[in-house]
């Protein structure tokens, strides 16, 4: 397992809050999310659909559509500088240059009317002081780096002439062409078949090792997390409910939600057994005007009385393992919380 030092922190997200104004009320998509990313680290954000993973990373990039969305609180510190306070001009020096993002569907990110060369050269010249010829040479080199054959020929083709996996490789090449220090991968294998998924994930891993690029991997696939990530943040209803190194999270999950996610993944040693695969009962909550209790309690098989009335504090179980669950609070903390609501 890799070891990371505080001085290697490149991205520090503190109490990030992103809300959406809807006709039904305020939707708290991201509500007090905090985590750190070190140089060369791969961190996973996991959870069911709608838990706030993608909005968290769109907020980091300041790509949340406004209206109806708005970042209402928190800090996103890149090398100590708060991205949320930068002007648009200052932001352009970071977004796409130092912090890049790979979206779920490469076809929606690539312009179908422009050649790959046009799109890559524009990206490179926008962020780096190089000529168009130098940008073209770098683009060809990066296409080769990500495993696209005959890059000097394929660079002049259009997106529709590439397969889904090849388009995703183009997106990775574009993201890394400006020497990005942080790569955000938003479920980069969703639209791909299984063999291509493995190739793309292996490619991201190689890029991480070769360029010491920090990676934030958004996924609901715990198998991917186990094979790629150094640390994991488990999200539920817009909050992080558990943070831990990957191996520790799989060996000793603390939050009942994390336990449920891990138990729902089929295991090779269970092959041949006729038992039903575990599933978490119920549906994720509507995060519009959530009551101030644990949002997971209607689906939890370990809930206690206080879970129905108060949101749990975050407990640091180990130096690198934290959880937000009343099961790990003291009797005094529970009594104090119940006393305050009376």
């Amino acid at each position: 397992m890799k070891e990371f030092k505080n001085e290697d922190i490149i991205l520090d997200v503190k109490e990030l809050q992103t809300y959406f104004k809807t006709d039904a009320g305020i939707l708290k998509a991201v509500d007090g999310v905090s985590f750190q990313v070190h140089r060369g680290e791969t961190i996973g954000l996991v959870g069911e659909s709608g838990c706030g993973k993608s909005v968290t990373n769109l907020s980091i990039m300041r790509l949340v559509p406004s209206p109806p969305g708005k970042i209402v609180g928190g800090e996103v510190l890149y090398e100590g500088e708060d991205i949320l306070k930068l002007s648009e001009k200052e932001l352009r020096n970071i977004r796409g240059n130092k912090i890049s993002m790979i979206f779920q569907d490469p076809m929606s990110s690539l312009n179908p009317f422009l050649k790959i060369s046009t799109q890559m050269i524009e990206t490179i010249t926008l962020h780096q002081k190089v000529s168009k010829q130098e940008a073209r040479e770098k683009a060809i080199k990066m296409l080769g780096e990500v495993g696209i054959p005959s890059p000097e020929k394929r660079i002049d083709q259009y997106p529709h002439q590439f397969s889904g996996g090849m388009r995703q490789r183009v997106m990775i090449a574009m993201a890394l062409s400006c020497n990005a220090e942080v790569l955000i991968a938003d479920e980069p294998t969703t639209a791909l078949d299984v063999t291509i998924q493995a190739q793309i994930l292996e490619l991201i891993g190689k890029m991480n090792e070769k360029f010491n690029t920090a990676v934030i991997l958004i996924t609901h696939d715990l198998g991917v997390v186990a094979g790629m990530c150094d640390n994991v943040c488990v999200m539920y209803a817009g909050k992080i409910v558990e943070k831990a190194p990957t191996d520790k999270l799989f060996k000793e999950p603390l939050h009942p939600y994390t336990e449920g996610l891990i138990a729902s993944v089929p295991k090779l040693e269970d092959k041949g057994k006729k038992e039903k695969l575990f599933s978490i009962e119920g549906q994720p909550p509507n995060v519009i005007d959530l009551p101030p209790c644990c949002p997971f309690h209607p689906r939890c098989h370990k809930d206690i009385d206080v879970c129905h009335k108060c949101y749990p504090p975050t407990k640091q179980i180990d130096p690198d393992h934290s959880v937000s669950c009343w099961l790990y609070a003291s009797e005094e903390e529970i009594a104090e919380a119940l006393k305050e609501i009376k």
Side-chain angles (χ1 to χ4, degrees):
M1 186 178 72
K2 294 180 185 176
E3 290 187 6
F4 302 100
K5 300 176 181 177
N6 287 337
E7 55 265 31
D8 293 331
I9 294 172
I10 189 169
L11 192 69
D12 192 357
V13 180
K14 296 182 177 180
E15 294 297 323
L16 183 63
Q17 295 173 296
T18 302
Y19 297 171
F20 289 80
K21 189 175 181 179
T22 71
D23 292 338
I26 301 298
L27 190 153
K28 297 181 179 181
V30 178
D31 194 17
V33 166
S34 300
F35 62 92
Q36 296 174 330
V37 185
H38 300 77
R39 295 182 188 276
E41 177 184 9
T42 299
I43 186 168
L45 288 186
V46 302
E48 294 168 293
S49 296
C51 71
K53 306 184 298 294
S54 293
V55 177
T56 295
N57 287 285
L58 288 173
S59 301
I60 291 172
M61 299 285 282
R62 275 177 54 183
L63 291 173
V64 175
S66 179
K70 187 177 181 181
I71 301 171
V72 299
E75 296 177 303
V76 179
L77 303 177
Y78 169 73
E79 294 189 329
E81 189 172 31
D82 190 356
I83 292 174
L84 304 183
K85 293 179 180 178
L86 298 179
S87 66
E88 282 297 324
K89 184 178 179 182
E90 291 171 324
L91 181 61
R92 278 197 297 271
N93 293 328
I94 293 177
R95 187 169 60 198
N97 188 23
K98 299 299 182 182
I99 305 176
S100 291
M101 192 164 184
I102 305 170
F103 295 92
Q104 288 189 35
D105 182 8
M107 201 58 192
S108 64
S109 304
L110 292 168
N111 190 325
F113 297 103
L114 297 177
K115 293 179 181 179
I116 298 299
S117 58
T118 304
Q119 299 182 60
M120 289 195 72
I121 290 169
E122 182 183 16
T123 300
I124 296 169
T125 54
L126 179 66
H127 295 295
Q128 298 188 357
K129 295 179 180 179
V130 295
S131 67
K132 284 191 175 182
Q133 182 57 38
E134 289 173 319
R136 181 182 173 86
E137 289 171 1
K138 183 162 189 178
I140 291 171
K141 181 182 177 183
M142 288 308 302
L143 290 176
E145 289 275 7
V146 298
I148 292 179
S150 305
E152 62 284 343
K153 293 180 181 178
R154 303 218 66 184
I155 193 171
D156 290 315
Q157 294 181 335
Y158 290 88
H160 73 269
Q161 294 175 281
F162 289 72
S163 67
M166 286 296 177
R167 284 195 292 267
Q168 198 62 284
R169 288 170 189 263
V170 171
M171 290 303 301
I172 295 171
M174 288 178 69
L176 295 174
S177 61
C178 295
N179 306 318
E181 295 180 321
V182 180
L183 180 64
I184 300 174
D186 186 358
E187 300 200 30
T189 60
T190 298
L192 307 177
D193 62 61
V194 177
T195 53
I196 302 301
Q197 280 185 28
Q199 292 175 16
I200 295 298
L201 293 171
E202 184 182 7
L203 175 59
I204 293 173
K206 285 180 178 177
M207 297 292 107
N208 164 251
E209 291 179 10
K210 185 170 183 177
F211 299 107
N212 201 35
T213 307
V215 178
I216 302 175
L217 181 64
I218 305 169
T219 182
H220 56 264
D221 190 335
L222 287 176
V224 170
V225 168
M228 284 196 66
C229 297
D230 301 299
N231 293 286
V232 187
C233 298
V234 180
M235 290 191 69
Y236 190 79
K239 296 178 183 286
I240 291 177
V241 297
E242 187 167 0
K243 281 191 282 192
T246 305
D247 56 351
K248 185 174 288 188
L249 187 88
F250 278 82
K251 288 178 184 175
E252 303 171 36
L254 299 178
H255 199 284
Y257 178 59
T258 311
E259 291 178 359
L261 290 177
I262 293 172
S264 64
V265 177
K267 299 175 179 61
L268 288 176
E269 57 265 30
D270 294 340
K271 190 176 181 181
K273 293 184 179 179
K274 294 185 178 180
E275 296 177 8
K276 279 188 176 181
L277 192 64
F278 178 83
S279 65
I280 302 172
E281 294 182 359
Q283 296 293 326
N286 184 341
V287 291
I288 296 176
D289 299 325
L290 271 175
C293 60
C294 174
F296 185 64
H297 84 264
R299 310 171 70 189
C300 183
H301 61 285
K302 294 183 178 180
D303 61 310
I304 54 179
D305 183 54
V306 69
C307 300
H308 301 238
K309 299 172 182 176
C310 310
Y311 193 85
T314 299
K315 304 293 291 183
Q316 202 70 39
I317 307 303
D318 289 325
D320 55 1
H321 196 166
S322 63
V323 63
S324 298
C325 181
W326 282 114
L327 296 175
Y328 304 93
S330 65
E331 292 183 6
E332 291 78 9
E333 288 174 312
I334 293 174
E336 185 64 30
L338 292 173
K339 182 179 176 182
E340 286 182 4
I341 63 171
K342 287 182 179 178

